[in-house]
Every structure is written in C-alpha cells, then in structure tokens.
Amino acid sequence: EYQPQLDLKTGDICSMEALIRWRHPVKGLISPFEFIPIAEESGLIVPIGQWVLETACRETVEWQQTYKKPLHVAVNLSMGQLYQKNFVNVVKETLHKTNLKPEHLQLEITESMTMNTKLIIPVLKELKQLGIEIAVDDFGTGYSSLSYLKLFPLNTLKIDRSFINELMTDSKDAAITKTIIHLGHSLGLEVIAEGVETREQVDFLLDIQCEKAQGFYFSRPIPAIEAEEKYLKKKK
C-alpha cells in the first residue's frame, strides 16, 4: 500500500511511501507488527524486502509515465537487507530493471540501525553515490548518539508520530518538534512530519517551516489502484 507525502506549502503530493500489508484469506488483515518480526527472525525479510522494493519502483515508474509527474517513492529497509553483501548491487539491478531514476528513490532506515556504524556507513555511502536519497525514520525515538547525524550520508529526517500526536496540547512535544526541524535545517536536511491528523497540526508545522508531512489527515495507506484513482488521475 502507499501513503502520500505532501509538500506543505503547495499541497502537492511529492512522494509515496510504500508500506507492506498482509491480507490473509482466512485471518484478514495481519499487522506488520505481527509478521515483520517473524520475517526478520526467519530471514524471509530479505526476499520480502526485495519484492517491496521492486514493486514500488515499478509502480512508481508506471505512474510517472502515465501522469507525467516526477513522483518519488520511499521504501523502508530492514537490517537483514543491509546485511546482504550484495545489497547495493541488488538495488542497482532493481533500478535498472524497473527504469526508475535513483534520485526518485528514497530508502528509509531507523535510528536503531545506526548503531552498527561499521556496517551501515559504507553501504549508505554507496547508495548515496548512486543518487538515492537516505532518510531516518521515526527520528527522536531511538537511543543512538546524535553523532550519527554527521557521520551518515543523510538527506531527510522523519519526525516520529509520537511527537506529532500531542503537538497542540503538550508543550514538550511542540518544543521537541521545533528542535528537530531546526536541527535538520541546520544540517542541510529535509524534514518530514509523520502521523499528521488535524488541520491545526498542519498549520503549526507550516509556521515552524516543516517542508513535508504525511498522515491520516491527508490519507491512510491505501492500495496502489486506490492511490492512483484518488491522487494521481485527478492531477493529470
């Protein structure tokens, strides 16, 4: 499924985040919080992650060609994928196979992944050299030292939804959100707010110069066909 990311100033959809969902024929919708940990333990996260990456790249190219829009796509990475010795080549081959330009792909890591600097930094640098953007997801909730912000080749910080939820009622959450945005801008990074659910939150984020946002206020994660019908066809 896809959740749009919007430019807060223009209101335009600039990117789609690809999110995996499991619709079981008997049990119905199974949360990724249930099946992703099992996939990671079993090693199945690698082929699953590859399927998500290739599907997201292919569908994004189809949308770009159909609607003449330079749409970007964001894909979450797992530690299992980054442990692959040939992961950078896998990404290269996927981009070549799908014809997606590297600058239209953003790969997301979590703060917990930044702890293994010896493994992660060389891989991210190679990906960045290809032209791919690198984002830190759920920023502000991890336990890593902030020193990774100067060590890692990053483009984007994504403010965790836990800070956005109480943005209008909790002065500490508001202060943390402002600080993350200021920190990101000071380092030359783009900032995306996750979990935006109200117009008041949008206005607050605009006032403190947050560039982009995603959340239920704009759209829940929805299947590709629905995303196309709802957000792309009317923009053609």
Side-chain angles (χ1 to χ4, degrees):
E1 296 191 348
Y2 294 89
Q3 186 173 40
Q5 298 175 340
L6 280 80
D7 183 311
L8 285 177
K9 288 185 178 179
T10 66
D12 291 335
I13 294 172
C14 49
S15 181
M16 294 279 196
E17 180 177 1
L19 298 162
I20 190 166
R21 297 292 183 263
W22 182 4
R23 297 186 182 278
H24 192 279
V26 177
K27 298 181 179 180
L29 185 64
I30 299 176
S31 167
F33 293 108
E34 291 184 54
F35 70 81
I36 289 296
I38 298 171
E40 288 175 338
E41 289 175 16
S42 66
L44 283 172
I45 195 64
V46 173
I48 289 173
Q50 174 55 25
W51 176 82
V52 171
L53 178 63
E54 185 172 324
T55 302
C57 289
R58 186 183 67 253
E59 291 182 333
T60 300
V61 169
E62 290 172 359
W63 287 335
Q64 289 175 342
Q65 293 174 344
T66 302
Y67 301 104
K68 311 302 179 186
K69 185 178 176 67
L71 195 68
H72 291 59
V73 67
V75 178
N76 295 279
L77 295 182
S78 69
M79 185 60 83
Q81 287 173 286
L82 290 170
Y83 271 122
Q84 285 181 275
K85 290 183 179 179
N86 64 336
F87 180 65
V88 175
N89 286 332
V90 168
V91 175
K92 280 183 184 179
E93 290 171 5
T94 302
L95 291 172
H96 178 73
K97 183 177 181 180
T98 60
N99 289 317
L100 182 71
K101 293 181 179 179
E103 60 267 28
H104 291 157
L105 173 63
Q106 183 176 87
L107 297 177
E108 298 184 5
I109 62 171
T110 61
E111 281 190 291
S112 61
M113 295 181 190
T114 64
M115 297 179 72
N116 194 336
T117 56
K118 288 183 179 180
L119 168 70
I120 299 298
I121 291 177
V123 175
L124 295 185
K125 283 184 175 179
E126 283 192 68
L127 292 169
K128 184 79 176 287
Q129 286 170 359
L130 293 176
I132 295 166
E133 294 190 347
I134 308 296
V136 176
D137 199 9
D138 304 330
F139 183 78
T141 59
Y143 299 99
S144 299
S145 167
L146 286 176
S147 64
Y148 79 81
L149 290 177
K150 73 174 184 179
L151 298 174
F152 283 63
L154 305 175
N155 298 92
T156 304
L157 300 181
K158 299 187 70 179
I159 306 173
D160 188 72
R161 67 185 65 250
S162 63
F163 301 117
I164 305 301
N165 286 344
E166 307 298 329
L167 194 60
M168 308 310 299
T169 56
D170 190 315
S171 60
K172 290 183 179 179
D173 281 342
I176 289 171
T177 300
K178 289 180 184 178
T179 300
I180 293 173
I181 292 170
H182 179 70
L183 175 64
H185 290 170
S186 298
L187 294 171
L189 304 176
E190 184 179 69
V191 181
I192 300 177
E194 295 185 282
V196 176
E197 296 186 357
T198 69
R199 181 68 225 184
E200 290 76 18
Q201 291 171 345
V202 171
D203 292 338
F204 184 91
L205 291 166
L206 274 168
D207 286 342
I208 58 176
Q209 300 182 327
C210 185
E211 296 103 326
K212 297 179 182 178
Q214 66 186 97
F216 289 177
Y217 177 74
F218 308 109
S219 174
R220 292 174 178 270
I222 53 179
I225 295 176
E226 189 177 339
E228 182 175 354
E229 291 284 341
K230 192 172 182 180
Y231 297 111
L232 298 175
K233 278 191 175 180
K234 68 178 183 178
K235 296 284 184 180
K236 189 174 180 182

